[in-house]
Amino acid sequence: MAADSPYGDGELVDALRISDAEWYACVQEMDLRAMQQKGINESRLETRQPYRNIAKIILSIRSYDGRLQQFKVRAYDLSRTGLGFLHGAYVYEGSQVELLMQHHVNGMIRIPASIVSCVHVKKRIHQVGAKFDEPIELDDFLMSEAG
């Protein structure tokens, strides 16, 4: 289902198309897998925080032919340097994107980032990691979850 886009050009698409219950079950599976693999990826410098913000993240990316594509994505974790989210399509590593995220003072803000990982989970669900171009102030975004 498409909706009006806050970017103004193009439609906002929910390519994931899963229920809240399916999203929650998938995130629980990923959390369990991450706990089992704890210590394997010691290259992370920033601690990730659970970020279960379901409806307020928009991924904006240019397709290979230059068209702007915008997707509603579902976040699951956040750090000062990046965001983990679920998406309904593969996103190539190295892709330059913008994430529209809820800042608790400034409202929705655009955060430039690049895709550092994309792994197929099941069905059409992909686990995507985005690295922000510049670190964010984590509390400015985590506080917005309560509201």
Side-chain angles (χ1 to χ4, degrees):
M1 178 186 333
D4 290 334
S5 166
Y7 281 88
D9 57 346
E11 294 181 334
L12 178 60
V13 177
D14 180 2
L16 198 53
R17 299 184 312 271
I18 60 175
S19 70
D20 291 349
E22 290 172 300
W23 170 83
Y24 184 73
C26 189
V27 169
Q28 282 187 312
E29 288 174 27
M30 292 181 339
D31 286 346
L32 180 60
R33 197 171 334 123
M35 285 181 7
Q36 292 169 343
Q37 296 176 346
K38 193 169 180 97
I40 291 175
N41 189 352
E42 295 297 329
S43 64
R44 280 199 174 88
L45 299 176
E46 297 287 335
T47 302
R48 294 183 291 172
Q49 300 294 321
Y51 189 60
R52 308 313 197 219
N53 189 330
I54 293 176
K56 297 183 180 176
I57 308 290
I58 297 170
L59 169 71
S60 179
I61 187 169
R62 293 251 173 229
S63 65
Y64 66 91
D65 62 0
R67 288 180 298 122
L68 181 65
Q69 296 179 309
Q70 299 166 103
F71 301 94
K72 175 182 169 184
V73 297
R74 294 187 174 199
Y76 62 87
D77 70 21
L78 179 69
S79 74
R80 285 180 16 88
T81 57
L83 176 74
F85 61 90
L86 298 181
H87 183 36
Y90 185 81
V91 184
Y92 288 97
E93 291 180 28
S95 296
Q96 298 299 304
V97 300
E98 276 190 340
L99 296 159
L100 191 63
M101 296 176 56
Q102 181 70 40
H103 184 279
H104 85 280
V105 172
N106 299 324
M108 298 298 278
I109 64 169
R110 294 178 180 156
I111 302 175
S114 57
I115 302 301
V116 294
S117 65
C118 185
V119 177
H120 179 254
V121 177
K122 62 183 173 184
K123 298 181 183 176
R124 70 176 146 269
I125 302 171
H126 293 78
Q127 181 179 0
V128 184
K131 182 179 180 191
F132 303 140
D133 289 359
E134 299 290 330
I136 62 168
E137 189 59 47
L138 200 54
D139 289 342
D140 290 344
F141 295 89
L142 292 176
M143 291 177 70
S144 68
E145 278 207 305

